[in-house]
């Protein structure tokens, strides 16, 4: 058995009516036991049930009866102990247990009835107002039979049972009072009047319970509660206030003899009143004389309303206070405990009825809204029964099928479409098996529908139909456009590739595979691995700016897997993709031949100019220099004073320097072929350091052992090392105990050499020009500006690279690299 659909613990009206009738008949606990047990078995899946009454005076629990798997056990009394019934009495709240939620050790009592312990169940308190009357228990020998909804149903049933039990008790007490009053009728007149009033109250409570059991309109229910409460409590004013604690809103749903000014002021001030916390905590608030209290902002409204005393009752539905029921009198009044208990019981009945009516209003409104949305949906909708017939269709389905709306019901869904797939392709049987099916179905006039079938209960299926003709046409146009775009990219003579944030090349065309030297369709590699090492930082900086949203272009030299070095003009354009992920589209054009041509033209022009210059120098300077040198040597033969000797040394030194300048110009201008052979770079470094002037700089050698040979011209490579060592020595001149470092190492397919000095470094504004011919940072007469330019030309002619940078700790770093193997041609 499953719990009936009773949202929030609302009881079916027939259950409430039966309990109300029992209360009106003033049934005994034994009679009520059988009634409550039958109603419990209708509402929850229980195999054991008992009802226990609590006497706080004697602290005795009276078990009225106990049903266990259909067998009735008799009544018995038991003192308060450690069992679950005693636990509920002590804590006055429900106790639920299950296989995964066992009873606390302290609440496990002795087993009675069946010797087997139940697996799941719930013990709920039975109250009348705020007074505990007893405990109602339903249990099962199977797990999972008592979810939260079942416990809420039992709690609602217990609330009505408390009213019925108290009605019987009061009736029996009244009967006993009447019997005792027979001997002293005259002296007990007042007691009879109280008894009659009590009976009238119980009758009003019974009528209210019976009336509310069949009330479905929330507004009408709240109005009836206010009016019946005014008659029951002889009140002159009444109000039903609805509270939304989550949104902290208050609204007077019903106000009798209360002005709009009063209700508006009370609604606005409610959460600021000191009584609000008591009411939200479920406590009754009584005010014998409201005019004795001063409430800023409300006193004038209270005086204008005309009531003097007030009782405010919390309306508790489930475990939440959903409102307040308030009654006012035009005179001061005090409330006795029994009157407050009666008022609380009345409020509990009202809360159940109001909560149920509000839920029914919500369900009805949701159903109406669903019907409006169903009929107004732009997609064709149909509820298909187990036989494949349309049980309900909307207007969009009528338009798609050209069938009147009234004619859809009862028609087979497949009959509405002549193109419906039959046999093994029929999607309806698949949907009934529990699978959501979606199909494209071409229909008349070139239209295309997408049909989605989703399984429902009892073999029913929900069908959704959409006309996707335009979408399909747009999709086909997109496919054609993408095909043209792919063909354009594939045939483009410019290399096109995209880069992820980690620099991985993830899409290329044929021109890109040719430029990068990779196989079409092969595994992509990071672009940094294809860059010449000395240029990685430069290119990666441009790519980082592109990922940041800038369009960048730069020159990049690529070393392909076959060893060839190509120079490309790279344009990086940022692309925004879905989810904010940014990629970079790179367009690369091979400019190796263009750069070589430019170098050749520039070199040719330079050679022409230098040829003319060297020719003039040779004729105009060499002969005079030779004469000056010869005369200086001739004069040096004779003895002279110290001053004359110093002048002759100066003449010889300056003439020699001028001759070396002429020789440098001649070397720079001529292009003799490289005489390659296997060269040990470490040996060349040691040779240069060995002939360095002693005492100027201490050079520390950090040379890699087993350094591979390079195919190079040793005379020209040693000139490069000598130029860099000489520059380092000059940069550290004047510093105390200067120390330089020369290091060699192997990196991939190149051999590298670096020279580190402790000088002042290179000014940032000239760092990019130090390899230009005739550019020097030295003082006039100390340098020609040809040393680094000649070194740059030598390294490039060998297919290598030479770079310079400033060291973070101070000084400069020059390094060059030469390939292991001899390149196909010099750069």
């Amino acid at each position: 058995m499953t719990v009936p659909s009773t949202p929030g613990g609302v009881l079916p009206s027939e259950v409430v009516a039966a309990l109300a009738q029992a209360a009106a008949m003033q049934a005994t606990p034994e009679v009520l036991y059988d009634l409550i047990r039958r109603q419990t078995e209708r509402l929850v899946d229980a195999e054991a049930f008992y009802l226990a009454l609590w006497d706080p005076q004697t602290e005795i629990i009276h078990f009225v009866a106990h049903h266990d798997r259909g067998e009735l056990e008799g009544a018995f009394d038991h003192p308060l102990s450690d069992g679950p019934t005693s636990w509920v009495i002590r804590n006055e709240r429900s106790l639920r247990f299950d296989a995964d939620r066992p009873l606390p050790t302290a609440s496990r009592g002795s087993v009675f009835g069946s010797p087997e312990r139940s697996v799941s169940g719930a013990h709920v308190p039975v109250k009348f107002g705020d007074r505990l009357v007893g405990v109602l228990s339903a249990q099962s020998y199977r797990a999972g039979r008592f979810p939260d909804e079942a416990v809420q149903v039992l709690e609602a049933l217990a609330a009505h049972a408390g009213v019925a039990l108290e009605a019987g008790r009061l009736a029996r007490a009244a009967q006993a009072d009447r019997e005792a009053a027979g001997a002293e009728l005259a002296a007990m007149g007042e007691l009879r009047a109280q008894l009659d009033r009590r009976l009238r109250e119980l009758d009003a409570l019974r009528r209210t319970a019976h009336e509310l059991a069949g009330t479905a309109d929330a507004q009408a229910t709240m109005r009836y509660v206010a009016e019946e409460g005014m008659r029951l409590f002889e009140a002159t004013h009444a109000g039903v206030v609805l509270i939304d604690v989550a949104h902290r809103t208050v609204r007077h749903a019903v106000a009798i003899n209360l002005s709009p000014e009063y209700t508006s002021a009370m609604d606005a001030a409610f959460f600021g009143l000191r009584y609000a916390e008591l009411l939200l905590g479920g406590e009754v608030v009584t005010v014998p004389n409201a005019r004795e209290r001063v409430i800023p902002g409300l006193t004038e409204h209270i005086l204008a309303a005309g009531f003097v005393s007030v009782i405010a009752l919390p309306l508790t539905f489930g475990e939440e206070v959903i409102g307040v029921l308030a009654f006012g009198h035009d005179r001061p009044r005090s409330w006795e405990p029994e009157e407050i208990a009666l008022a609380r019981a009345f409020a509990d009945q009202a809360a159940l009825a109001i909560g149920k009516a509000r839920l029914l209003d919500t369900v009805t409104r949701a159903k109406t809204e669903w019907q409006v949305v169903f009929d107004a949906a732009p997609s064709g909708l149909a509820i298909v029964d187990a036989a494949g017939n349309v049980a309900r269709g909307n207007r969009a389905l009528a338009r798609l099928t050209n069938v009147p709306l009234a004619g859809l019901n009862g028609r087979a869904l497949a009959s509405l479409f002549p193109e419906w797939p039959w046999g093994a392709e029929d999607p309806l049987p698949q949907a009934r098996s529990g699978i959501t099916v979606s199909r494209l179905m071409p229909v008349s006039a070139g239209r295309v529908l997408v049909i989605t079938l989703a399984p429902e209960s009892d073999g029913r299926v929900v069908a959704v139909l959409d006309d996707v003709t335009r979408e399909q046409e747009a999709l086909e146009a997109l496919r054609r456009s993408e095909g043209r775009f792919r063909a354009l990219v594939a045939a483009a003579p410019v290399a096109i590739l995209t880069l992820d944030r980690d620099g991985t090349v993830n899409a290329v065309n044929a021109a890109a595979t040719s430029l990068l030297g990779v196989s079409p369709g092969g595994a992509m590699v990071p672009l940094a691995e294809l860059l010449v090492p000395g240029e990685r930082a430069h290119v990666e900086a441009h790519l980082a700016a592109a990922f940041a949203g800038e369009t960048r272009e730069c020159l990049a030299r690529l070393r392909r897997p076959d060893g060839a070095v190509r120079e490309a003009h790279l344009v990086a354009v940022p692309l925004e993709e879905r989810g904010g992920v940014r990629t970079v589209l790179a367009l690369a054009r091979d400019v190796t031949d263009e750069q070589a041509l430019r170098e050749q033209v520039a070199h040719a022009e330079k050679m022409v100019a230098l040829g003319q210059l060297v020719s003039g120098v040779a004729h105009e300077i060499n002969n005079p220099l030779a004469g000056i040198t010869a005369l200086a040597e001739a004069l040096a033969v004779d003895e002279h004073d110290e001053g004359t000797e110093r002048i002759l040394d100066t003449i010889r030194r300056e003439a020699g320097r001028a001759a070396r300048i002429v020789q440098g110009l001649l070397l720079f201008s001529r292009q003799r072929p490289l005489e390659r052979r296997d060269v040990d770079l470490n040996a060349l470094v040691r040779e240069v350091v060995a002939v360095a002037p002693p005492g100027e700089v201490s050079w520390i050698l950090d040379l890699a052992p087993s350094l591979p040979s390079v195919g190079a011209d040793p005379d020209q490579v040693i000139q490069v090392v000598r130029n860099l060592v000489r520059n380092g020595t000059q940069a550290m001149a004047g510093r105390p105990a200067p120390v330089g470092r020369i290091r060699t190492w192997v990196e991939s397919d190149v051999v590298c050499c670096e020279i580190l000095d402790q000088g002042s470094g290179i000014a940032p504004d000239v760092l990019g020009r130090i390899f230009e011919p005739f550019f020097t940072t030295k003082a006039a007469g100390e340098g020609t500006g040809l040393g680094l330019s000649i070194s740059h030309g030598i390294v490039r002619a060998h297919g290598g690279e030479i770079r310079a940078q400033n060291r973070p700790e101070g000084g400069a770093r020059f390094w060059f690299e030469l390939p292991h193997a001899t390149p196909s041609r010099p750069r």
Side-chain angles (χ1 to χ4, degrees):
M1 182 182 295
T2 57
V3 179
S5 178
T6 56
V10 178
L11 298 178
S13 57
E14 59 269 21
V15 176
V16 178
L19 291 172
Q21 184 178 8
M25 294 175 60
Q26 302 157 9
T28 63
E30 289 74 21
V31 174
L32 275 172
Y33 172 85
D34 191 56
L35 171 63
I36 296 172
R37 178 186 59 80
R38 291 198 309 273
Q39 300 304 330
T40 301
E41 291 177 348
R42 289 183 57 193
L43 297 172
V44 297
D45 194 356
E47 296 163 308
F49 172 86
Y50 70 77
L51 175 66
L53 301 181
W54 167 242
D55 186 354
Q57 302 298 325
T58 62
E59 294 192 346
I60 294 297
I61 306 172
H62 175 66
F63 290 83
V64 178
H66 177 227
H67 263 80
D68 195 342
R69 288 176 171 164
E71 294 185 9
L72 177 64
E73 302 288 337
F76 65 96
D77 292 338
H78 197 283
L80 196 66
S81 62
D82 294 330
T85 307
S86 300
W87 188 95
V88 173
I89 292 172
R90 287 193 179 94
N91 295 275
E92 293 192 9
R93 58 189 178 93
S94 300
L95 177 63
R96 179 169 71 90
F97 64 94
D98 209 328
D100 60 347
R101 184 180 178 178
L103 287 169
T105 304
S107 64
R108 295 182 182 175
S110 58
V111 177
F112 58 92
S114 171
E116 180 184 359
R117 283 192 180 273
S118 53
V119 177
S120 62
H123 308 273
V124 300
V126 179
K127 289 186 174 182
F128 180 76
D130 58 353
R131 183 164 60 84
L132 182 69
V133 176
V135 177
L136 185 150
S137 175
Q139 305 170 46
S140 174
Y141 294 98
R142 294 169 292 171
R145 301 297 171 178
F146 287 86
D148 292 339
E149 294 81 2
V151 177
Q152 293 174 5
V153 168
L154 287 175
E155 289 173 343
L157 184 65
H160 290 278
V163 175
L165 286 168
E166 187 65 10
R169 188 189 70 79
L170 291 174
R172 290 190 296 277
Q175 181 63 30
D177 290 342
R178 284 195 298 271
E179 292 174 357
E184 302 177 6
L185 185 58
M188 300 298 291
E190 180 62 25
L191 181 61
R192 182 178 180 82
Q194 293 179 4
L195 178 61
D196 289 342
R197 185 172 68 252
R198 183 66 56 81
L199 290 175
R200 287 196 305 273
E201 292 172 349
L202 290 173
D203 183 62
L205 194 61
R206 178 191 62 77
R207 289 197 321 272
T208 300
H210 182 73
E211 182 68 25
L212 294 179
T215 304
D217 184 354
Q219 189 62 35
T221 299
M222 292 185 287
R223 186 78 187 183
Y224 177 85
V225 164
E227 293 174 348
E228 188 64 23
M230 290 180 66
R231 286 192 292 271
L232 178 61
F233 302 117
E234 299 177 350
T236 56
H237 301 71
V240 179
V241 180
L242 298 181
I243 301 173
D244 186 342
V245 178
H247 297 88
R248 296 185 68 81
T249 59
V250 178
R251 177 177 66 87
H252 267 76
V254 175
I256 301 177
N257 296 332
L258 297 172
S259 66
E261 292 78 13
Y262 169 81
T263 57
S264 298
M266 182 59 71
D267 291 347
F270 177 82
F271 281 105
L273 299 175
R274 61 188 181 121
Y275 297 125
E277 185 175 353
L278 296 175
L279 290 169
L280 294 176
E283 297 186 28
V284 177
V285 174
T286 61
V287 181
N289 192 340
R291 301 190 178 188
E292 294 179 349
R293 303 176 183 271
V294 177
I295 304 176
L298 286 179
T299 299
E300 61 274 17
H301 295 293
I302 293 174
L303 293 174
F307 61 84
V308 177
S309 62
V310 178
I311 182 171
L313 306 161
L315 297 174
T316 305
F317 185 65
E319 296 182 356
E320 179 185 3
V321 176
I322 62 172
V324 174
L325 177 61
F327 298 105
H329 295 79
D330 56 4
R331 64 186 186 283
R333 174 176 177 176
S334 298
W335 292 77
E336 298 297 330
E338 291 186 353
E339 292 178 313
I340 293 176
L342 177 66
R344 181 182 283 277
F346 181 82
D348 288 344
Q349 291 281 359
L352 287 172
I354 293 172
K356 183 190 77 169
R358 291 179 70 189
L359 284 175
L360 289 176
D361 281 354
T362 302
V363 172
T364 302
R365 185 168 60 253
K367 180 180 178 182
T368 302
E369 292 173 353
W370 176 85
Q371 290 174 344
V372 171
V373 172
F374 182 87
D375 288 333
S379 301
L381 300 176
I383 299 175
V384 184
D385 60 22
N389 299 323
V390 176
R392 181 183 179 89
N394 69 345
R395 300 182 185 278
L397 180 63
R399 290 194 300 269
L400 288 174
T401 58
N402 294 320
V403 175
L405 181 62
L408 289 174
N409 294 350
R411 290 279 299 271
L413 179 65
S415 69
L416 299 174
F417 303 97
E419 303 84 1
W420 187 270
W422 294 96
E425 299 298 323
D426 190 349
L428 270 174
Q430 300 178 50
R432 291 195 193 98
S433 67
I435 303 173
T436 298
V437 184
S438 188
R439 296 280 181 84
L440 280 175
M441 185 173 70
V443 293
S444 58
R447 294 185 304 150
V448 179
L449 302 182
V450 59
I451 300 178
T452 302
L453 302 177
E456 259 287 343
S457 58
D458 302 326
R460 295 186 305 169
V461 171
V462 176
V464 182
L465 298 92
D466 287 293
D467 190 337
V468 294
T469 306
R470 291 184 178 179
E471 289 83 349
Q472 288 297 108
E473 292 174 350
L475 184 61
E476 183 59 31
L478 179 60
R479 290 195 187 100
R480 292 195 297 269
S481 176
E482 288 180 349
R484 290 193 297 269
F485 175 74
R486 290 193 185 96
L488 176 63
V489 170
V494 176
I496 301 175
L497 53 148
T498 59
L499 302 172
D500 288 338
R501 275 205 173 273
D502 60 358
T504 301
V505 180
N506 56 20
V508 298
N509 63 349
T513 58
S514 175
L515 174 64
L516 302 178
V518 296
S519 302
M524 294 295 99
V525 296
L527 181 62
E529 294 186 7
L530 299 173
L531 294 171
V532 171
E535 293 195 352
R536 288 177 186 172
H538 166 70
V539 176
E540 287 174 352
H542 283 281
L543 292 179
F547 278 112
E550 301 180 28
T551 298
R552 288 297 187 94
E553 59 179 299
C554 62
L555 288 176
R557 281 189 290 158
L558 308 171
R559 179 178 286 110
R560 304 195 306 184
D562 60 1
V565 175
R566 307 297 293 175
E567 190 158 4
H569 178 261
L570 191 69
V571 178
V573 181
L575 297 179
E576 289 287 347
E577 296 187 353
R578 289 181 299 178
V581 178
R582 178 172 286 166
T583 59
V584 166
L585 173 68
L587 306 177
R589 186 169 59 89
D590 191 340
V591 295
T592 306
D593 296 337
E594 295 178 16
Q595 291 293 96
L597 182 59
R598 288 193 186 96
E599 290 180 3
Q600 291 174 8
V601 172
H603 190 73
E605 293 175 350
K606 180 180 67 176
M607 290 302 102
V608 171
L610 286 178
Q612 296 174 353
L613 176 63
V614 169
S615 177
V617 168
H619 289 85
E620 301 298 332
I621 298 179
N622 272 350
N623 291 334
L625 283 177
I628 293 170
T629 302
L631 290 174
E633 291 296 338
L635 291 173
V637 174
D638 299 328
E639 291 185 3
H640 301 283
D641 57 34
E642 183 178 349
T644 304
E645 288 290 344
R646 188 165 55 253
I647 293 173
L648 291 175
D649 288 341
T650 302
I651 293 172
R652 290 198 301 270
R653 185 173 61 254
E654 293 302 321
R657 192 171 73 85
R660 286 195 299 275
I661 291 174
V662 173
Q663 290 299 319
L665 289 173
L666 292 172
L667 178 62
F668 180 76
S669 63
R670 72 173 180 265
Q671 287 187 326
R672 68 176 179 82
L674 297 177
E675 298 178 3
R676 293 181 181 270
R677 61 175 181 268
D678 290 340
V679 175
D680 183 354
L681 186 58
N682 285 346
L684 295 183
V685 170
R686 292 189 185 95
E687 182 180 340
V688 171
V689 173
V691 299
E696 293 184 358
V697 174
S698 297
W699 289 98
I700 298 175
L701 302 183
D702 182 8
L703 307 180
S706 303
L707 193 70
S709 299
V710 294
D713 187 327
D715 294 336
Q716 295 195 24
V717 173
I718 200 169
Q719 184 176 352
V720 172
V721 178
R722 185 179 293 114
N723 283 339
L724 297 180
V725 169
R726 183 187 302 115
N727 284 350
T729 300
Q730 293 173 354
M732 293 185 285
R735 295 182 178 271
V739 177
R741 179 182 294 272
I742 303 176
R743 184 170 73 96
T744 61
W745 73 95
V746 180
E747 182 178 306
S748 183
D749 57 351
V750 296
V751 173
C752 304
C753 177
E754 70 176 1
I755 290 85
L756 308 175
D757 64 56
Q758 296 178 337
S760 58
I762 307 170
D765 57 337
V766 301
L767 185 60
R769 301 184 58 194
I770 59 174
F771 293 109
E772 293 181 6
F774 307 110
F775 179 81
T776 180
T777 59
K778 299 174 183 177
E782 295 184 6
T784 63
L786 294 174
L788 288 179
S789 178
I790 292 172
S791 299
H792 180 270
I794 292 172
V795 173
R796 292 291 298 272
H798 283 78
E801 299 293 334
I802 183 169
R803 292 285 184 270
Q805 68 181 36
N806 287 315
R807 302 170 63 194
E809 62 272 25
R813 175 187 180 230
F814 285 83
W815 79 98
F816 64 90
E817 59 186 39
L818 298 173
H820 294 181
T822 302
S824 58
R825 63 179 179 83
R827 292 180 60 86

